[in-house]
Amino acid sequence: MGFGQGKFGHIWKLENKGNYHVAEMSTSKKNKNTDQYETDWANKFVRLVGTAHQQADQLDISKNVKIGACEVTNKYDKDKNTTYTNYAIFNFEDASNNNGNHSSSRQATGKGSGDSFMNIPNGIDEDSELPFN
């Protein structure tokens, strides 16, 4: 299953960093041999940005979420000879929402199209002030 759009996961812990939230989350899948759920992906540093950042303020972390628009990127630090993998979620929905209504995500962005673009105010230095750099 893993991390990706349309996947279901559980957010265990949230921390508001001002312009974004950092979430500790995991996904699981059912083992067909044992009939038990097993964690197949977990990360302590998933950034919730844009609409997801706004949604996180009202999130009941006892419930699962369905991941909406998201991104996985890598950044190589030449000085440390290390590659970092970054996970970002732009929106999500409550997995217990049975009708599949995505309207809460659309209303929070002020757009009806459901796209994942984030409005960036004028005067922001894109190289240093955006939450996902």
Side-chain angles (χ1 to χ4, degrees):
M1 186 171 178
F3 178 88
Q5 186 170 349
K7 306 291 184 172
F8 293 90
H10 189 86
I11 297 176
W12 298 97
K13 184 177 176 183
L14 277 172
E15 184 177 350
N16 190 334
K17 296 289 193 174
N19 291 335
Y20 61 93
H21 277 77
V22 173
E24 181 177 328
M25 70 181 297
S26 64
T27 62
S28 300
K29 66 179 178 180
K30 194 171 193 176
N31 183 323
K32 293 179 183 178
N33 295 327
T34 65
D35 213 31
Q36 298 292 316
Y37 283 93
E38 299 173 350
T39 300
D40 64 343
W41 175 86
N43 194 291
K44 293 185 179 187
F45 303 104
V46 178
R47 287 192 180 192
L48 306 180
V49 299
T51 302
H53 171 56
Q54 296 167 352
Q55 292 174 294
D57 286 329
Q58 283 76 42
L59 179 64
D60 177 356
I61 61 171
S62 69
K63 297 182 180 178
N64 291 331
V65 297
K66 182 177 180 182
I67 300 170
C70 60
E71 177 178 72
V72 179
T73 59
N74 290 313
K75 182 176 182 177
Y76 179 70
D77 186 327
K78 186 177 180 179
D79 296 333
K80 295 180 181 179
N81 194 28
T82 302
T83 300
Y84 297 95
T85 302
N86 302 301
Y87 298 89
I89 296 176
F90 301 104
N91 62 36
F92 60 85
E93 62 183 87
D94 184 339
S96 65
N97 184 357
N98 293 329
N99 64 8
N101 187 349
H102 226 63
S103 63
S104 62
S105 297
R106 291 183 191 140
Q107 289 171 356
T109 61
K111 297 181 179 183
S113 65
D115 60 31
S116 62
F117 288 100
M118 181 176 167
N119 289 330
I120 301 172
N122 292 332
I124 297 277
D125 178 9
E126 292 183 16
D127 292 328
S128 63
E129 295 182 43
L130 290 178
F132 43 82
N133 281 337

